[in-house]
């Protein structure tokens, strides 16, 4: 499936909303749209960046967010680690003007050594060994509108991670220009069974919710 299709199918409506100053947040595959397209321009205008094929890459790796910036989206969020298909080396607006990185981590060098391809690698990425990459960001538009993008979201279970979920909930309030609580948006940790509900695809025959639950419990255990 094409995550960017959600942007293409609603392009005119989204464009009108962005131009009116309405906040826009995009997660994971919705960020992948063709270079030079109206959808790419919409994402640049609306949230300051997008996934550009042959420039960005989409490896799976464990990101270690050792510190977070002073920003409402980071309110109450503690440093955390999580494995996901973290796209990086996004195409941002010139000089990243108006962009504030929220989630930044150091990818393993192996994630940057892929051969040339739309998603696998390119010379610029290969030249960035040992450098941190931004995988979640806030954007303040010149007209005062707000946007948020994150490349998280490939693994559905990750929404069971209290810190990752808080980043998203905070971001949704922030882009809507609502006040983010000092400790961030509180929410109940979903169980593995709750996360498995309302899925379009049938559950795999080997689905074992107890293993997912163990992972969620380990993520959110008190230090």
């Amino acid at each position: 499936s094409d995550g960017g299709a959600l942007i293409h199918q609603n392009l005119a409506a989204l464009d009108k909303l962005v131009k009116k100053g309405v906040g826009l947040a995009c997660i994971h595959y919705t960020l992948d749209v063709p270079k030079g397209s109206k959808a790419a321009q919409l994402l640049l205008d609306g949230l300051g960046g997008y996934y550009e094929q042959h420039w960005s890459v989409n490896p799976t790796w464990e990101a270690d967010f050792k510190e977070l910036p002073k920003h409402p989206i980071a309110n109450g969020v503690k440093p955390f680690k999580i494995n996901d298909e973290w796209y990086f080396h996004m195409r941002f607006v010139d000089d990243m003007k108006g962009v504030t990185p929220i989630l930044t981590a150091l990818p393993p060098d192996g994630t940057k050594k892929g051969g040339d391809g739309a998603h696998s690698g390119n010379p610029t990425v290969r030249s960035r060994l040992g450098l941190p990459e931004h995988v979640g960001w806030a954007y303040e538009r010149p007209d005062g509108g707000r946007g948020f993008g994150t490349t998280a979201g490939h693994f559905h279970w990750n929404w069971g991670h209290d810190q990752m979920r808080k980043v998203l909930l905070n971001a949704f309030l922030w882009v809507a220009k609502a006040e983010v609580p000092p400790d961030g948006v509180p929410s109940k940790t979903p169980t593995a069974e709750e996360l498995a509900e309302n899925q379009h695809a049938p559950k795999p025959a080997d689905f074992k919710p107890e293993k997912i639950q163990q992972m969620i419990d380990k993520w959110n255990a008190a230090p």
Side-chain angles (χ1 to χ4, degrees):
S1 62
D2 179 6
L6 294 171
I7 302 297
H8 290 289
Q9 291 166 4
N10 299 282
L11 189 59
L14 289 171
D15 188 57
K16 287 181 181 179
L17 290 172
V18 167
K19 288 177 178 174
K20 287 173 61 177
V22 174
L24 177 66
C26 289
I27 301 170
H28 203 57
Y29 204 10
T30 54
L31 293 163
D32 187 346
V33 295
K35 178 181 179 180
S37 67
K38 291 182 178 180
Q41 191 60 54
L42 169 69
L43 294 187
L44 283 172
D45 293 342
L47 48 89
Y50 74 102
Y51 184 104
E52 182 182 295
Q53 294 184 16
H54 300 284
W55 175 258
S56 309
V57 291
N58 67 350
T60 297
W61 51 289
E62 184 179 58
D64 184 359
F65 303 112
K66 295 182 178 181
E67 57 182 358
L68 291 105
K70 185 175 177 59
H71 190 281
I73 294 176
N75 282 4
V77 180
K78 301 174 183 178
F80 66 100
K81 296 180 182 180
I82 195 165
N83 188 67
D84 209 328
E85 188 183 53
W86 291 106
Y87 310 163
F88 62 81
H89 200 236
M90 309 299 279
R91 177 65 76 184
F92 290 110
V93 291
D94 291 343
D95 300 321
M96 293 186 70
K97 187 175 181 179
V99 174
T100 300
I102 303 296
L103 296 175
T104 302
L106 181 64
D109 283 350
T111 65
K112 298 186 175 183
K113 294 181 178 179
D116 290 355
H119 300 91
S120 56
N122 57 73
T124 307
V125 167
R126 291 193 291 272
S127 74
R128 291 181 56 79
L129 297 182
L131 295 177
E133 304 289 349
H134 307 310
V135 296
W137 66 93
Y139 182 55
E140 296 190 61
R141 304 175 198 147
D143 64 2
R146 294 177 176 180
F148 173 78
T150 180
T151 68
H154 183 79
F155 298 120
H156 181 64
W157 313 116
N158 285 1
W159 305 123
H161 195 302
D162 289 348
Q163 305 308 313
M164 186 70 250
R165 194 174 61 260
K166 182 169 286 191
V167 170
L168 268 294
L169 294 173
N170 288 352
F172 296 154
L173 282 188
W174 184 80
V175 298
K177 296 187 177 180
E179 184 176 351
V180 181
D183 293 328
V185 178
S187 64
K188 176 181 175 293
T189 305
T191 65
E193 289 287 5
E194 287 170 337
L195 286 168
E197 293 176 358
N198 304 314
Q199 299 299 306
H200 293 295
K203 293 180 183 178
D206 60 351
F207 173 66
K208 295 182 179 179
E210 64 274 12
K211 289 189 175 182
I212 301 298
Q213 189 62 54
Q214 289 172 3
M215 182 171 65
I216 292 171
D217 293 342
K218 183 177 181 181
W219 281 336
N220 302 318

